[in-house]
Amino acid sequence: MASDTLYLIITGGAAATRIPALLPSLISSYRRVITVPTPAAKQIVSLRDLASIPGHHLVEGYFEPIIYPTPPGDALVAPCTFNSLNKLAQGIADTLALSIVAEAIGRQHHVTVAISANAALWAHPRAQESAATLRRWGCHVLDPVPDPGRGPDHLTMASDAAILAALAGPTRP
């Protein structure tokens, strides 16, 4: 852990349904966890379920006091979809969630990106280029892994243990 604040950025991948189980471990590792779902994530994970987990702040708008102005902190993008991965690598910050990650990259804070993309999207040249770009910028990028319940052709976000290990690692390469 490099900072006492963690921004948990949730994008709209199917693996977002795993976040309520991961959140308590994040809360126990950071003094302050600020959870920011993208608009697409709100279609995948229940905000009510997220809000029912004590110990973090669920943010839905730009001017909530906890983030205005955005305090420095580490960022975890989990899951990070193909779309969000490519936007981050292009410097596109068209949502509150992506703006927070862009600021964390610019501040050279610890940024962990746990990609969740299907095999075809992960094989796309742009996905590979975007992951490489984020790594060059000092982000810790976790590639998607085979989904144990669905076979090697189905990919999902890295395990919770791998995500927690990445957060505990060095802040910059």
Side-chain angles (χ1 to χ4, degrees), residues 20-21 23-24 27 35 45-58:
L23 197 48
I27 293 166
T35 305
V45 66
S46 164
L47 296 185
R48 183 179 40 202
D49 289 348
L50 290 174
S52 72
I53 300 169
H56 72 111
H57 305 275
L58 180 61

Side-chain angles (χ1 to χ4, degrees), residues 69-173:
T70 308
D74 296 340
L76 167 62
V77 185
C80 185
T81 61
F82 177 82
N83 187 50
S84 293
L85 171 68
N86 293 318
K87 284 183 175 184
L88 287 172
Q90 293 298 316
I92 298 171
D94 61 351
T95 65
L96 172 60
L98 295 181
S99 295
I100 289 169
V101 180
E103 284 189 33
I105 291 170
R107 290 178 172 152
Q108 297 185 354
H109 281 258
H110 190 147
V111 175
T112 301
V113 177
I115 301 169
S116 183
N118 66 41
L121 290 177
W122 181 235
H124 191 286
R126 179 59 61 199
Q128 301 300 314
E129 291 171 12
S130 293
T133 295
L134 292 176
R135 286 183 176 110
R136 278 194 312 276
W137 293 349
C139 299
H140 192 136
V141 178
L142 299 170
D143 295 346
V145 298
D147 186 335
R150 300 187 67 200
D153 293 336
H154 295 275
L155 300 178
T156 190
M157 180 172 71
S159 70
D160 293 359
I163 292 168
L164 294 169
L167 289 170
T171 59
R172 303 299 280 185

Side-chain angles (χ1 to χ4, degrees), residues 26-70:
L26 299 174
I27 293 166
S28 71
S29 298
Y30 287 85
R31 186 180 64 77
R32 181 169 52 176
V33 174
I34 302 171
T35 305
V36 186
T38 65
K42 294 173 186 178
Q43 304 301 312
I44 305 291
V45 66
S46 164
L47 296 185
R48 183 179 40 202
D49 289 348
L50 290 174
S52 72
I53 300 169
H56 72 111
H57 305 275
L58 180 61
V59 172
E60 295 185 64
Y62 278 91
F63 298 107
E64 293 189 31
I66 190 98
I67 60 156
Y68 187 74
T70 308

